Amino acid sequence: MRLPFLKKKGRVPEKIFEAPALEIRDIIAPSSISLTSDHLKLGERIVKSFFIFSYPRYLSTAWFSPVINLDTPMDIGFHIHPVETGLTLKQLRKKVTEVQAEIMEREEKGLIRDPALETAYRDLEELRDRLQTAQEKMFKFGLYLTVYADKAKELEGIETTLRSILESRLIYIKPALYQQREGFNCSAPYGLDQLQVHTPMNTDPLSSIFPFVSFDLSSNEGILYGVNRHNNSLILFDRFSLENANSVVFAKAGSGKSYAVKLEILRSLMLGVDTIILDPENEYKSLTEAVGGSFFNISLASPNHINPFDLPVPREDEKPEDVLRTNIINLVGLLRIMLGGLTPEEDAIIDRAITETYAARDITPETDPRAWPEKIPLMSDFEAVLEGMEGAESLVRRVRKFTKGTFAQFFNQPTNISMDKPFVAFGIRDMEDELRPMAMFIIMRYIWNKVRSELKKRILVVDEAWWIMQTKDGASFLYGIAKRARKYWLGVTTITQDINDFMKSDYGKPIITNSSLQLLMKQSPATIDVVQKIFNLTEEEKYLLLEAEVGDGIFFAGQKHVAIKVVASYTEDQIITTAPEEVLKIKRAKGKL
């Protein structure tokens, strides 16, 4: 049966069952929009728009940064409308006349001077002069905020926070009552200023609202760390001016972390700061020779020895019993590493045996501490005491490995080195891998004892710190040094290329939080998420570290951080470079090849 309303020619096909084309706005649009007097509801989210209607006489630089840095979803709209200078000058001339007339009228009536009127008169005249000479321009400025929340209570909390931040600066904000749709459009990227809430501003205060401010780390004292990539200013800083002088350096191999640290060392030496290096790869040897320092190669076959039982001479403000007790506790930790762990019973035996070993040499809290250095026992003395103790048979067998045979060449010898020079490096590249954590612990104990004995401005660099972080006692000791370093005028620099291994330790994060300086350089994709979480990096900073060139990174000093490019002079580069091709060129130039 043919339908009567359809014709053979020009028949329109039916569209009843055809699906409409899906557009991009259908994907991004909320499921529903509800409009009320003081907020919008986009789907399940509550949205509220505000405008700023009052500003103080003065605006400080980056006053808007706390609002931008809030951990809250927010849209911000800046609307800047230029005003013709000629029209502004006419209005200012009229205003100046009114203010001047009011001042004269008060003088004729014998009233006391009004500081507010006089200040307004001076400001108007100054602004007229600057506009007339084209140093300033006038604008109408509107600033609108739209915030998002899941619940009404959360929205109230955000509004309270905004008010407290802004009103502390004498800046006042209001919600766009009965104009929430217009307020939402003002802060959306449409370029629409539908609220038209404007404040007249000249160029100077308007520039203070610009939200992207680069920190400046230039000071009158300190050393050059590099160039600020944000504004090409110099990063001059004194690490000892912060609450502590500790720093951490995280970067993958070949990114320039050792180069940056060597530059800092070289420049610090010129300011009279002593430097001590714990060097796992002997890469600071050439720098040691260049500055006339002492380099001690620590290995089983080396002639350089450090006695684990060394004691510091107590300073005037220290009690001998405290120094002795602290040293015994640290020795127990070292022996726990050397002996492959201790049971609680063995721990108690070791503690008592160490005390008796010192007492057998007449080293007690009652004896004169100045005589201690001449009476220091050796590991073999400790073994002899253990042999006479009940239940110590297993301990004696394990200790004997370090008192007889190959290991005894390092662990059972009196100390025969000194740290008299301003630059001292301990190289442990040739130490067997299984002994390296022990060697690092012993060296750090020796360094710490020397640091405590004499108050002096020093930097301690622990390169490849993950080696000592492998054991709980080693990590604990490193953290203890970092935590107490400030009292002894010491800055600890911890360097590692594997942040995952570093953070596996319970002491990894505390060491970072106890370091006021942090330098992040090129990171691998495998670790960047960990780095971003620890240092609270933005996505831009995350990609900066992933794509950074050699020598580039992010430099943190206290609450400030900037993008840094490490730079060196030609002479400095010749001293500190470790690039194989550069080292080869230098050796050829000196005739060593």
Side-chain angles (χ1 to χ4, degrees), residues 509-521:
K509 192 167 185 179
I511 288 174
I512 294 173
T513 54
N514 275 275
S515 301
S516 295
L517 286 182
Q518 292 134 13
L519 177 60
L520 305 178
M521 304 183 87

Side-chain angles (χ1 to χ4, degrees), residues 262-400:
K262 287 176 185 177
L263 266 181
E264 181 189 15
I265 292 167
L266 201 57
R267 292 164 180 171
S268 297
L269 283 169
M270 291 190 289
L271 297 182
V273 181
D274 287 8
T275 303
I276 309 162
I277 313 286
L278 193 50
D279 180 11
E281 298 299 332
N282 290 10
E283 62 177 304
Y284 292 82
K285 188 173 183 179
S286 59
L287 178 59
T288 310
E289 294 171 354
V291 300
S294 299
F295 185 87
F296 300 113
N297 187 27
I298 305 297
S299 68
L300 293 181
S302 170
N304 303 311
H305 307 300
I306 298 175
N307 184 2
F309 285 83
D310 277 345
L311 280 168
V313 177
R315 297 205 322 265
E316 293 179 359
D317 58 341
E318 292 180 319
K319 296 180 180 179
E321 56 267 29
D322 292 339
V323 173
L324 190 57
R325 181 171 58 250
T326 302
N327 195 73
I328 291 172
I329 292 170
N330 290 338
L331 260 179
V332 172
L334 170 62
L335 287 163
R336 196 178 290 119
I337 298 172
M338 293 171 64
L339 304 180
L342 300 172
T343 64
E345 294 79 10
E346 290 175 335
D347 202 292
I349 293 171
I350 289 288
D351 187 285
R352 185 157 56 90
I354 294 171
T355 305
E356 291 185 11
T357 302
Y358 280 124
R361 287 296 191 116
D362 198 24
I363 298 176
T364 65
E366 291 75 28
T367 57
D368 186 359
R370 289 173 296 182
W372 287 358
E374 300 174 0
K375 305 175 181 178
I376 299 297
L378 297 175
M379 188 68 74
S380 53
D381 298 315
F382 173 68
E383 181 194 1
V385 171
L386 269 181
E387 286 176 341
M389 298 181 69
E390 187 177 349
E393 295 79 8
S394 172
L395 291 172
V396 171
R397 284 194 299 271
R398 283 183 278 170
V399 167
R400 196 163 286 154

Side-chain angles (χ1 to χ4, degrees), residues 37-206:
S37 62
D38 66 343
H39 70 269
L40 289 170
K41 196 165 185 185
L42 301 181
E44 298 298 319
R45 303 208 77 183
I46 305 172
V47 183
K48 191 168 186 178
S49 296
F50 302 86
F51 59 86
I52 293 178
F53 69 95
S54 177
Y55 297 88
R57 182 168 174 244
Y58 288 109
L59 287 172
S60 60
T61 303
W63 63 265
F64 200 54
S65 293
V67 175
I68 290 182
N69 293 329
L70 279 177
D71 189 18
T72 300
M74 183 186 306
D75 293 332
I76 301 170
F78 289 173
H79 293 266
I80 303 169
H81 307 277
V83 178
E84 188 183 344
T85 303
L87 178 63
T88 305
L89 285 171
K90 287 180 183 178
Q91 293 173 343
L92 285 175
R93 187 161 50 246
K94 180 181 177 183
K95 190 67 178 175
V96 166
T97 304
E98 290 175 0
V99 174
Q100 194 173 23
E102 189 172 349
I103 291 173
M104 293 173 64
E105 184 181 353
R106 292 179 66 86
E107 288 177 354
E108 290 172 0
K109 291 181 179 180
L111 299 174
I112 61 172
R113 56 186 286 274
D114 186 348
L117 275 175
E118 294 178 3
T119 302
Y121 178 74
R122 286 196 302 271
D123 287 350
L124 287 168
E125 285 287 29
E126 184 182 349
L127 182 56
R128 283 179 66 199
D129 291 341
R130 295 178 71 85
L131 286 171
Q132 194 72 50
T133 56
Q135 296 179 51
E136 295 272 3
K137 286 191 174 183
M138 285 300 295
F139 303 87
K140 289 181 180 178
F141 176 66
L143 199 162
Y144 312 109
L145 306 170
T146 299
V147 297
Y148 299 79
D150 294 322
K151 297 179 181 177
K153 191 171 182 181
E154 183 185 348
L155 193 66
E156 289 174 10
I158 296 170
E159 183 174 352
T160 303
T161 303
L162 282 174
R163 288 186 184 277
S164 63
I165 290 172
L166 294 171
E167 290 180 7
S168 66
R169 293 164 170 78
L170 301 179
I171 298 166
Y172 296 94
I173 189 172
K174 276 186 179 179
L177 295 177
Y178 296 100
Q179 291 183 297
Q180 285 295 308
R181 183 179 62 183
E182 290 80 0
F184 180 80
N185 289 338
C186 285
S187 53
Y190 296 142
L192 299 175
D193 188 358
Q194 296 178 343
L195 285 180
Q196 296 284 316
V197 180
H198 296 150
T199 302
M201 281 193 186
N202 53 307
T203 313
D204 208 18
L206 188 63

